Amino acid sequence: MRILIGLTVLLIGVTGCAILTQLSQSVEEIPSSRLTCASNPEFVDGNLETVSTFAVNGVVRKAYQVFDDSSRRISSAQRRYVTLVDGNRRTEAIIKLDVPTYVSYVEVYPGPGRIPNFAMMTTTDDPPRFDVAFERVSDKQHEDIEGLTPVRFSIQREILYLRMSADSIEDKQNSIRNPNANIEIPLKGAEIREVKFFGIQHSL
């Protein structure tokens, strides 16, 4: 009987400590003053009125190419319309915290238009090694973001760098048709108003 009473008291004590621990912690926004983004400072300037665009390094070219169809008994030249990317269709930006911090979630406030194939990765390595250091964020990985409603991404880990990436968008309104019927379509980056970080703040 004494053992049973002792176990009950122990269980109540452990449960009470867990509740007190939870009460002593709360998820709060990490101040924008602790965040930097060299390529897009407006992403973390704390102002929802400012909009910044992912930097683009590429252009889409659509052209006819001649292929030799050797699968037939009599070889015949065929013209096929192909789409090639000169450069990189993928864009990215990296946000750094001042010190490694446990981040519960991140909210992305989109700008006008669409953010295609959006994804996040994180690391605590400093400087980060781009080939192996970054660990992907599985929440909403490679999904499109549309509209101005903020989208929340669960992080649940300690991070120092957050790497965001998205596909660029074909700017068809400014496409150029060459005399040989080739088409050159510039790429433009998606827009973001703000990226907010939220973590557990320990109360004294």
PDB file of all heavy atoms in Angstrom, residues 44-77:
ATOM      1  N   VAL A  44      13.073  40.433 -43.878  1.00  0.00           N
ATOM      2  CA  VAL A  44      13.115  40.371 -42.405  1.00  0.00           C
ATOM      3  C   VAL A  44      13.234  41.763 -41.791  1.00  0.00           C
ATOM      4  O   VAL A  44      13.827  41.914 -40.719  1.00  0.00           O
ATOM      5  CB  VAL A  44      14.267  39.462 -41.923  1.00  0.00           C
ATOM      6  CG1 VAL A  44      14.016  38.001 -42.275  1.00  0.00           C
ATOM      7  CG2 VAL A  44      15.609  39.924 -42.518  1.00  0.00           C
ATOM      8  N   ASP A  45      12.672  42.767 -42.454  1.00  0.00           N
ATOM      9  CA  ASP A  45      12.792  44.133 -41.920  1.00  0.00           C
ATOM     10  C   ASP A  45      11.676  44.480 -40.945  1.00  0.00           C
ATOM     11  O   ASP A  45      11.615  45.593 -40.419  1.00  0.00           O
ATOM     12  CB  ASP A  45      12.837  45.157 -43.053  1.00  0.00           C
ATOM     13  CG  ASP A  45      11.549  45.182 -43.880  1.00  0.00           C
ATOM     14  OD1 ASP A  45      10.636  44.392 -43.601  1.00  0.00           O
ATOM     15  OD2 ASP A  45      11.478  45.988 -44.831  1.00  0.00           O
ATOM     16  N   GLY A  46      10.744  43.550 -40.709  1.00  0.00           N
ATOM     17  CA  GLY A  46       9.653  43.789 -39.775  1.00  0.00           C
ATOM     18  C   GLY A  46       8.551  44.663 -40.333  1.00  0.00           C
ATOM     19  O   GLY A  46       7.647  45.061 -39.595  1.00  0.00           O
ATOM     20  N   ASN A  47       8.573  44.939 -41.626  1.00  0.00           N
ATOM     21  CA  ASN A  47       7.589  45.818 -42.259  1.00  0.00           C
ATOM     22  C   ASN A  47       6.835  45.039 -43.339  1.00  0.00           C
ATOM     23  O   ASN A  47       7.411  44.669 -44.372  1.00  0.00           O
ATOM     24  CB  ASN A  47       8.288  47.030 -42.868  1.00  0.00           C
ATOM     25  CG  ASN A  47       7.312  48.041 -43.436  1.00  0.00           C
ATOM     26  OD1 ASN A  47       6.100  47.834 -43.415  1.00  0.00           O
ATOM     27  ND2 ASN A  47       7.835  49.141 -43.945  1.00  0.00           N
ATOM     28  N   LEU A  48       5.542  44.823 -43.125  1.00  0.00           N
ATOM     29  CA  LEU A  48       4.728  44.078 -44.085  1.00  0.00           C
ATOM     30  C   LEU A  48       4.420  44.890 -45.342  1.00  0.00           C
ATOM     31  O   LEU A  48       3.891  44.353 -46.318  1.00  0.00           O
ATOM     32  CB  LEU A  48       3.412  43.628 -43.437  1.00  0.00           C
ATOM     33  CG  LEU A  48       3.529  42.530 -42.374  1.00  0.00           C
ATOM     34  CD1 LEU A  48       2.177  42.293 -41.708  1.00  0.00           C
ATOM     35  CD2 LEU A  48       4.048  41.234 -42.984  1.00  0.00           C
ATOM     36  N   GLU A  49       4.735  46.179 -45.328  1.00  0.00           N
ATOM     37  CA  GLU A  49       4.464  47.026 -46.488  1.00  0.00           C
ATOM     38  C   GLU A  49       5.555  46.901 -47.553  1.00  0.00           C
ATOM     39  O   GLU A  49       5.345  47.252 -48.714  1.00  0.00           O
ATOM     40  CB  GLU A  49       4.333  48.488 -46.059  1.00  0.00           C
ATOM     41  CG  GLU A  49       3.208  48.736 -45.065  1.00  0.00           C
ATOM     42  CD  GLU A  49       1.847  48.338 -45.617  1.00  0.00           C
ATOM     43  OE1 GLU A  49       1.590  48.605 -46.802  1.00  0.00           O
ATOM     44  OE2 GLU A  49       1.045  47.745 -44.857  1.00  0.00           O
ATOM     45  N   THR A  50       6.730  46.433 -47.166  1.00  0.00           N
ATOM     46  CA  THR A  50       7.816  46.292 -48.134  1.00  0.00           C
ATOM     47  C   THR A  50       7.753  44.914 -48.788  1.00  0.00           C
ATOM     48  O   THR A  50       7.396  43.922 -48.156  1.00  0.00           O
ATOM     49  CB  THR A  50       9.180  46.463 -47.460  1.00  0.00           C
ATOM     50  OG1 THR A  50       9.316  45.495 -46.403  1.00  0.00           O
ATOM     51  CG2 THR A  50       9.317  47.859 -46.878  1.00  0.00           C
ATOM     52  N   VAL A  51       8.122  44.861 -50.063  1.00  0.00           N
ATOM     53  CA  VAL A  51       8.115  43.611 -50.826  1.00  0.00           C
ATOM     54  C   VAL A  51       9.472  43.444 -51.486  1.00  0.00           C
ATOM     55  O   VAL A  51      10.046  44.403 -52.008  1.00  0.00           O
ATOM     56  CB  VAL A  51       7.010  43.621 -51.903  1.00  0.00           C
ATOM     57  CG1 VAL A  51       7.031  42.321 -52.708  1.00  0.00           C
ATOM     58  CG2 VAL A  51       5.643  43.820 -51.270  1.00  0.00           C
ATOM     59  N   SER A  52       9.995  42.223 -51.446  1.00  0.00           N
ATOM     60  CA  SER A  52      11.269  41.948 -52.091  1.00  0.00           C
ATOM     61  C   SER A  52      11.126  40.715 -52.984  1.00  0.00           C
ATOM     62  O   SER A  52      10.274  39.859 -52.750  1.00  0.00           O
ATOM     63  CB  SER A  52      12.370  41.724 -51.057  1.00  0.00           C
ATOM     64  OG  SER A  52      13.644  41.686 -51.670  1.00  0.00           O
ATOM     65  N   THR A  53      11.983  40.652 -54.003  1.00  0.00           N
ATOM     66  CA  THR A  53      11.885  39.622 -55.031  1.00  0.00           C
ATOM     67  C   THR A  53      13.107  38.713 -55.011  1.00  0.00           C
ATOM     68  O   THR A  53      14.246  39.191 -54.886  1.00  0.00           O
ATOM     69  CB  THR A  53      11.766  40.282 -56.423  1.00  0.00           C
ATOM     70  OG1 THR A  53      10.666  41.188 -56.423  1.00  0.00           O
ATOM     71  CG2 THR A  53      11.549  39.242 -57.503  1.00  0.00           C
ATOM     72  N   PHE A  54      12.879  37.406 -55.149  1.00  0.00           N
ATOM     73  CA  PHE A  54      13.996  36.475 -55.290  1.00  0.00           C
ATOM     74  C   PHE A  54      14.836  36.857 -56.518  1.00  0.00           C
ATOM     75  O   PHE A  54      14.298  37.143 -57.592  1.00  0.00           O
ATOM     76  CB  PHE A  54      13.479  35.042 -55.479  1.00  0.00           C
ATOM     77  CG  PHE A  54      13.033  34.366 -54.221  1.00  0.00           C
ATOM     78  CD1 PHE A  54      11.686  34.299 -53.900  1.00  0.00           C
ATOM     79  CD2 PHE A  54      13.948  33.775 -53.360  1.00  0.00           C
ATOM     80  CE1 PHE A  54      11.257  33.660 -52.744  1.00  0.00           C
ATOM     81  CE2 PHE A  54      13.530  33.133 -52.207  1.00  0.00           C
ATOM     82  CZ  PHE A  54      12.182  33.073 -51.888  1.00  0.00           C
ATOM     83  N   ALA A  55      16.149  36.860 -56.355  1.00  0.00           N
ATOM     84  CA  ALA A  55      17.039  37.166 -57.478  1.00  0.00           C
ATOM     85  C   ALA A  55      17.056  36.009 -58.468  1.00  0.00           C
ATOM     86  O   ALA A  55      17.062  34.838 -58.082  1.00  0.00           O
ATOM     87  CB  ALA A  55      18.454  37.433 -56.966  1.00  0.00           C
ATOM     88  N   VAL A  56      17.047  36.353 -59.759  1.00  0.00           N
ATOM     89  CA  VAL A  56      16.978  35.343 -60.819  1.00  0.00           C
ATOM     90  C   VAL A  56      18.256  35.363 -61.640  1.00  0.00           C
ATOM     91  O   VAL A  56      18.816  36.432 -61.919  1.00  0.00           O
ATOM     92  CB  VAL A  56      15.761  35.618 -61.739  1.00  0.00           C
ATOM     93  CG1 VAL A  56      15.743  34.647 -62.917  1.00  0.00           C
ATOM     94  CG2 VAL A  56      14.471  35.512 -60.951  1.00  0.00           C
ATOM     95  N   ASN A  57      18.720  34.185 -62.015  1.00  0.00           N
ATOM     96  CA  ASN A  57      19.889  34.071 -62.892  1.00  0.00           C
ATOM     97  C   ASN A  57      19.577  33.045 -63.981  1.00  0.00           C
ATOM     98  O   ASN A  57      20.005  31.903 -63.931  1.00  0.00           O
ATOM     99  CB  ASN A  57      21.124  33.651 -62.093  1.00  0.00           C
ATOM    100  CG  ASN A  57      22.365  33.528 -62.963  1.00  0.00           C
ATOM    101  OD1 ASN A  57      22.445  34.149 -64.021  1.00  0.00           O
ATOM    102  ND2 ASN A  57      23.311  32.722 -62.533  1.00  0.00           N
ATOM    103  N   GLY A  58      18.781  33.463 -64.943  1.00  0.00           N
ATOM    104  CA  GLY A  58      18.437  32.527 -66.008  1.00  0.00           C
ATOM    105  C   GLY A  58      17.414  33.100 -66.959  1.00  0.00           C
ATOM    106  O   GLY A  58      16.781  34.126 -66.692  1.00  0.00           O
ATOM    107  N   VAL A  59      17.268  32.422 -68.109  1.00  0.00           N
ATOM    108  CA  VAL A  59      16.285  32.789 -69.116  1.00  0.00           C
ATOM    109  C   VAL A  59      15.824  31.517 -69.813  1.00  0.00           C
ATOM    110  O   VAL A  59      16.574  30.551 -69.920  1.00  0.00           O
ATOM    111  CB  VAL A  59      16.891  33.795 -70.137  1.00  0.00           C
ATOM    112  CG1 VAL A  59      18.040  33.148 -70.916  1.00  0.00           C
ATOM    113  CG2 VAL A  59      15.834  34.322 -71.081  1.00  0.00           C
ATOM    114  N   VAL A  60      14.580  31.486 -70.241  1.00  0.00           N
ATOM    115  CA  VAL A  60      14.029  30.336 -70.939  1.00  0.00           C
ATOM    116  C   VAL A  60      14.111  30.582 -72.440  1.00  0.00           C
ATOM    117  O   VAL A  60      13.731  31.656 -72.924  1.00  0.00           O
ATOM    118  CB  VAL A  60      12.560  30.083 -70.526  1.00  0.00           C
ATOM    119  CG1 VAL A  60      11.931  28.993 -71.390  1.00  0.00           C
ATOM    120  CG2 VAL A  60      12.494  29.690 -69.061  1.00  0.00           C
ATOM    121  N   ARG A  61      14.599  29.596 -73.172  1.00  0.00           N
ATOM    122  CA  ARG A  61      14.666  29.698 -74.623  1.00  0.00           C
ATOM    123  C   ARG A  61      13.853  28.564 -75.244  1.00  0.00           C
ATOM    124  O   ARG A  61      14.046  27.391 -74.886  1.00  0.00           O
ATOM    125  CB  ARG A  61      16.116  29.628 -75.109  1.00  0.00           C
ATOM    126  CG  ARG A  61      17.013  30.680 -74.479  1.00  0.00           C
ATOM    127  CD  ARG A  61      18.419  30.646 -75.072  1.00  0.00           C
ATOM    128  NE  ARG A  61      19.340  31.451 -74.271  1.00  0.00           N
ATOM    129  CZ  ARG A  61      19.462  32.760 -74.378  1.00  0.00           C
ATOM    130  NH1 ARG A  61      18.706  33.419 -75.244  1.00  0.00           N
ATOM    131  NH2 ARG A  61      20.323  33.431 -73.622  1.00  0.00           N
ATOM    132  N   LYS A  62      12.958  28.928 -76.147  1.00  0.00           N
ATOM    133  CA  LYS A  62      12.162  27.941 -76.863  1.00  0.00           C
ATOM    134  C   LYS A  62      12.543  28.014 -78.332  1.00  0.00           C
ATOM    135  O   LYS A  62      12.510  29.089 -78.939  1.00  0.00           O
ATOM    136  CB  LYS A  62      10.666  28.205 -76.672  1.00  0.00           C
ATOM    137  CG  LYS A  62      10.222  28.041 -75.221  1.00  0.00           C
ATOM    138  CD  LYS A  62       8.722  28.114 -75.064  1.00  0.00           C
ATOM    139  CE  LYS A  62       8.318  27.865 -73.607  1.00  0.00           C
ATOM    140  NZ  LYS A  62       6.849  27.833 -73.427  1.00  0.00           N
ATOM    141  N   ALA A  63      12.916  26.856 -78.886  1.00  0.00           N
ATOM    142  CA  ALA A  63      13.428  26.862 -80.252  1.00  0.00           C
ATOM    143  C   ALA A  63      13.167  25.516 -80.910  1.00  0.00           C
ATOM    144  O   ALA A  63      12.950  24.496 -80.241  1.00  0.00           O
ATOM    145  CB  ALA A  63      14.925  27.161 -80.255  1.00  0.00           C
ATOM    146  N   TYR A  64      13.227  25.516 -82.249  1.00  0.00           N
ATOM    147  CA  TYR A  64      13.156  24.278 -83.010  1.00  0.00           C
ATOM    148  C   TYR A  64      14.543  23.675 -83.088  1.00  0.00           C
ATOM    149  O   TYR A  64      15.526  24.364 -83.352  1.00  0.00           O
ATOM    150  CB  TYR A  64      12.637  24.541 -84.426  1.00  0.00           C
ATOM    151  CG  TYR A  64      11.142  24.740 -84.501  1.00  0.00           C
ATOM    152  CD1 TYR A  64      10.601  26.002 -84.750  1.00  0.00           C
ATOM    153  CD2 TYR A  64      10.270  23.671 -84.329  1.00  0.00           C
ATOM    154  CE1 TYR A  64       9.231  26.196 -84.824  1.00  0.00           C
ATOM    155  CE2 TYR A  64       8.901  23.851 -84.402  1.00  0.00           C
ATOM    156  CZ  TYR A  64       8.387  25.112 -84.648  1.00  0.00           C
ATOM    157  OH  TYR A  64       7.028  25.298 -84.707  1.00  0.00           O
ATOM    158  N   GLN A  65      14.623  22.365 -82.836  1.00  0.00           N
ATOM    159  CA  GLN A  65      15.876  21.646 -83.028  1.00  0.00           C
ATOM    160  C   GLN A  65      15.622  20.455 -83.938  1.00  0.00           C
ATOM    161  O   GLN A  65      14.537  19.874 -83.932  1.00  0.00           O
ATOM    162  CB  GLN A  65      16.457  21.173 -81.692  1.00  0.00           C
ATOM    163  CG  GLN A  65      17.060  22.303 -80.878  1.00  0.00           C
ATOM    164  CD  GLN A  65      17.874  21.786 -79.722  1.00  0.00           C
ATOM    165  OE1 GLN A  65      17.932  20.589 -79.453  1.00  0.00           O
ATOM    166  NE2 GLN A  65      18.517  22.710 -79.002  1.00  0.00           N
ATOM    167  N   VAL A  66      16.632  20.075 -84.687  1.00  0.00           N
ATOM    168  CA  VAL A  66      16.507  18.965 -85.625  1.00  0.00           C
ATOM    169  C   VAL A  66      17.042  17.704 -84.968  1.00  0.00           C
ATOM    170  O   VAL A  66      18.150  17.675 -84.434  1.00  0.00           O
ATOM    171  CB  VAL A  66      17.284  19.261 -86.920  1.00  0.00           C
ATOM    172  CG1 VAL A  66      17.208  18.069 -87.872  1.00  0.00           C
ATOM    173  CG2 VAL A  66      16.725  20.513 -87.591  1.00  0.00           C
ATOM    174  N   PHE A  67      16.241  16.638 -84.989  1.00  0.00           N
ATOM    175  CA  PHE A  67      16.626  15.351 -84.432  1.00  0.00           C
ATOM    176  C   PHE A  67      16.642  14.309 -85.546  1.00  0.00           C
ATOM    177  O   PHE A  67      15.774  14.318 -86.434  1.00  0.00           O
ATOM    178  CB  PHE A  67      15.645  14.914 -83.340  1.00  0.00           C
ATOM    179  CG  PHE A  67      15.678  15.789 -82.116  1.00  0.00           C
ATOM    180  CD1 PHE A  67      14.950  16.964 -82.062  1.00  0.00           C
ATOM    181  CD2 PHE A  67      16.463  15.448 -81.035  1.00  0.00           C
ATOM    182  CE1 PHE A  67      14.985  17.771 -80.942  1.00  0.00           C
ATOM    183  CE2 PHE A  67      16.503  16.244 -79.904  1.00  0.00           C
ATOM    184  CZ  PHE A  67      15.766  17.415 -79.857  1.00  0.00           C
ATOM    185  N   ASP A  68      17.603  13.418 -85.475  1.00  0.00           N
ATOM    186  CA  ASP A  68      17.676  12.333 -86.450  1.00  0.00           C
ATOM    187  C   ASP A  68      17.030  11.104 -85.834  1.00  0.00           C
ATOM    188  O   ASP A  68      17.556  10.528 -84.876  1.00  0.00           O
ATOM    189  CB  ASP A  68      19.141  12.056 -86.808  1.00  0.00           C
ATOM    190  CG  ASP A  68      19.259  10.976 -87.870  1.00  0.00           C
ATOM    191  OD1 ASP A  68      18.248  10.715 -88.555  1.00  0.00           O
ATOM    192  OD2 ASP A  68      20.353  10.390 -87.994  1.00  0.00           O
ATOM    193  N   ASP A  69      15.883  10.699 -86.365  1.00  0.00           N
ATOM    194  CA  ASP A  69      15.152   9.560 -85.834  1.00  0.00           C
ATOM    195  C   ASP A  69      15.710   8.275 -86.427  1.00  0.00           C
ATOM    196  O   ASP A  69      15.273   7.797 -87.471  1.00  0.00           O
ATOM    197  CB  ASP A  69      13.659   9.687 -86.163  1.00  0.00           C
ATOM    198  CG  ASP A  69      12.824   8.648 -85.423  1.00  0.00           C
ATOM    199  OD1 ASP A  69      13.423   7.792 -84.748  1.00  0.00           O
ATOM    200  OD2 ASP A  69      11.592   8.699 -85.535  1.00  0.00           O
ATOM    201  N   SER A  70      16.729   7.711 -85.765  1.00  0.00           N
ATOM    202  CA  SER A  70      17.406   6.517 -86.288  1.00  0.00           C
ATOM    203  C   SER A  70      16.664   5.236 -85.975  1.00  0.00           C
ATOM    204  O   SER A  70      17.084   4.156 -86.355  1.00  0.00           O
ATOM    205  CB  SER A  70      18.832   6.449 -85.716  1.00  0.00           C
ATOM    206  OG  SER A  70      18.782   6.426 -84.304  1.00  0.00           O
ATOM    207  N   SER A  71      15.543   5.338 -85.263  1.00  0.00           N
ATOM    208  CA  SER A  71      14.773   4.136 -84.930  1.00  0.00           C
ATOM    209  C   SER A  71      14.011   3.606 -86.131  1.00  0.00           C
ATOM    210  O   SER A  71      13.573   2.463 -86.149  1.00  0.00           O
ATOM    211  CB  SER A  71      13.801   4.434 -83.795  1.00  0.00           C
ATOM    212  OG  SER A  71      12.873   5.417 -84.193  1.00  0.00           O
ATOM    213  N   ARG A  72      13.841   4.446 -87.145  1.00  0.00           N
ATOM    214  CA  ARG A  72      13.157   4.008 -88.347  1.00  0.00           C
ATOM    215  C   ARG A  72      14.159   3.399 -89.328  1.00  0.00           C
ATOM    216  O   ARG A  72      15.351   3.683 -89.285  1.00  0.00           O
ATOM    217  CB  ARG A  72      12.425   5.187 -89.000  1.00  0.00           C
ATOM    218  CG  ARG A  72      11.363   5.803 -88.096  1.00  0.00           C
ATOM    219  CD  ARG A  72      10.641   6.918 -88.825  1.00  0.00           C
ATOM    220  NE  ARG A  72       9.622   7.512 -87.957  1.00  0.00           N
ATOM    221  CZ  ARG A  72       8.818   8.500 -88.334  1.00  0.00           C
ATOM    222  NH1 ARG A  72       8.911   8.997 -89.566  1.00  0.00           N
ATOM    223  NH2 ARG A  72       7.917   8.984 -87.496  1.00  0.00           N
ATOM    224  N   ARG A  73      13.637   2.575 -90.244  1.00  0.00           N
ATOM    225  CA  ARG A  73      14.511   1.975 -91.253  1.00  0.00           C
ATOM    226  C   ARG A  73      15.123   3.032 -92.147  1.00  0.00           C
ATOM    227  O   ARG A  73      16.282   2.969 -92.538  1.00  0.00           O
ATOM    228  CB  ARG A  73      13.722   0.958 -92.099  1.00  0.00           C
ATOM    229  CG  ARG A  73      13.289  -0.281 -91.306  1.00  0.00           C
ATOM    230  CD  ARG A  73      12.597  -1.276 -92.205  1.00  0.00           C
ATOM    231  NE  ARG A  73      12.197  -2.464 -91.447  1.00  0.00           N
ATOM    232  CZ  ARG A  73      11.555  -3.499 -91.985  1.00  0.00           C
ATOM    233  NH1 ARG A  73      11.226  -3.477 -93.274  1.00  0.00           N
ATOM    234  NH2 ARG A  73      11.245  -4.536 -91.249  1.00  0.00           N
ATOM    235  N   ILE A  74      14.323   4.008 -92.503  1.00  0.00           N
ATOM    236  CA  ILE A  74      14.816   5.112 -93.309  1.00  0.00           C
ATOM    237  C   ILE A  74      14.921   6.335 -92.399  1.00  0.00           C
ATOM    238  O   ILE A  74      13.923   6.811 -91.870  1.00  0.00           O
ATOM    239  CB  ILE A  74      13.881   5.401 -94.492  1.00  0.00           C
ATOM    240  CG1 ILE A  74      13.771   4.154 -95.376  1.00  0.00           C
ATOM    241  CG2 ILE A  74      14.394   6.577 -95.309  1.00  0.00           C
ATOM    242  CD1 ILE A  74      12.783   4.314 -96.515  1.00  0.00           C
ATOM    243  N   SER A  75      16.140   6.825 -92.197  1.00  0.00           N
ATOM    244  CA  SER A  75      16.355   7.946 -91.297  1.00  0.00           C
ATOM    245  C   SER A  75      15.672   9.201 -91.833  1.00  0.00           C
ATOM    246  O   SER A  75      15.757   9.524 -93.005  1.00  0.00           O
ATOM    247  CB  SER A  75      17.859   8.205 -91.143  1.00  0.00           C
ATOM    248  OG  SER A  75      18.079   9.292 -90.311  1.00  0.00           O
ATOM    249  N   SER A  76      14.976   9.897 -90.961  1.00  0.00           N
ATOM    250  CA  SER A  76      14.302  11.121 -91.364  1.00  0.00           C
ATOM    251  C   SER A  76      14.570  12.200 -90.336  1.00  0.00           C
ATOM    252  O   SER A  76      14.535  11.950 -89.131  1.00  0.00           O
ATOM    253  CB  SER A  76      12.794  10.886 -91.518  1.00  0.00           C
ATOM    254  OG  SER A  76      12.238  10.511 -90.279  1.00  0.00           O
ATOM    255  N   ALA A  77      14.858  13.392 -90.811  1.00  0.00           N
ATOM    256  CA  ALA A  77      15.110  14.526 -89.913  1.00  0.00           C
ATOM    257  C   ALA A  77      13.782  15.107 -89.466  1.00  0.00           C
ATOM    258  O   ALA A  77      12.882  15.315 -90.281  1.00  0.00           O
ATOM    259  CB  ALA A  77      15.940  15.580 -90.625  1.00  0.00           C
TER     260      ALA A  77
END
